[in-house]
Amino acid sequence: AQKITQTQPGMFVQEKEAVTLDCTYDTSDPSYGLFWYKQPSSGEMIFLIYQGSYDQQNATEGRYSLNFQKARKSANLVISASQLGDSAMYFCAMREENNAGNMLTFGGGTRLMVKP
Amino acid sequence: DTAVSQTPKYLVTQMGNDKSIKCEQNLGHDTMYWYKQDSKKFLKIMFSYNNKELIINETVPNRFSPKSPDKAHLNLHINSLELGDSAVYFCASSQGASGLYEQYFGPGTRLTVT
């Protein structure tokens, strides 16, 4: 079974609007972390935001916020006030603390395209 | 200064050759990783390594081997290259071998096997 599922292969958003990128996960480990990375067309992987399974509040980093719904096992990324430079692939990832090596498991990604 | 660097950025080689990709991090991190991103953009862990333990993803062929001369370096050696090895390879590092720390990625190495 997929551990990380991103159901939106591609999305469009109008510049200056907010957009939500979906991510659901599957784990039986009580302690885990959820990460979002951005990959622009230049190819590098840029860390955006992190949410721990025991965190009481949703994580926020500037225009990025994570809508963490633990019971539903979802960790959606919300980008407010979209900019043209937000056009990129976005990857949701999970690390389970009991997973040997603490390796990240990635979802299939969502390609976001911001329209002017 | 670049936190995680990889060389080369591009690598084109023929089937059957042996090649290496170098990775260096200057963050003082304890754990380094190698990931493979295929043509469909799917990212998959290959190895996790700190100075005590190497964890290998069971799906990785034994033609791939990580080698770490010191804590700041984790190089990837690939023997007998195959067409299916063509991908972008990312090195990453994180603080500590346990705990939930974010990983910092290198710029990637695009490997093309002809």
Side-chain angles (χ1 to χ4, degrees), chain B residues 10 12-13 17 20 30 53 58 64-65 73 80 90 93 106 113:
Chain B
Y10 300 96
V12 181
T13 188
N17 285 349
S20 295
D30 291 326
E53 194 174 22
E58 60 190 12
F64 290 79
S65 57
H73 297 83
S80 303
F90 286 97
S93 72
V113 182

Side-chain angles (χ1 to χ4, degrees), chain B residues 30-47:
Chain B
D30 291 326
T31 308
M32 297 181 73
Y33 311 83
W34 278 103
Y35 289 85
K36 178 181 179 180
Q37 187 175 38
D38 63 23
S39 58
K40 295 184 179 177
K41 299 292 187 181
F42 189 67
L43 271 154
K44 196 168 185 180
I45 182 70
M46 299 177 72
F47 304 101

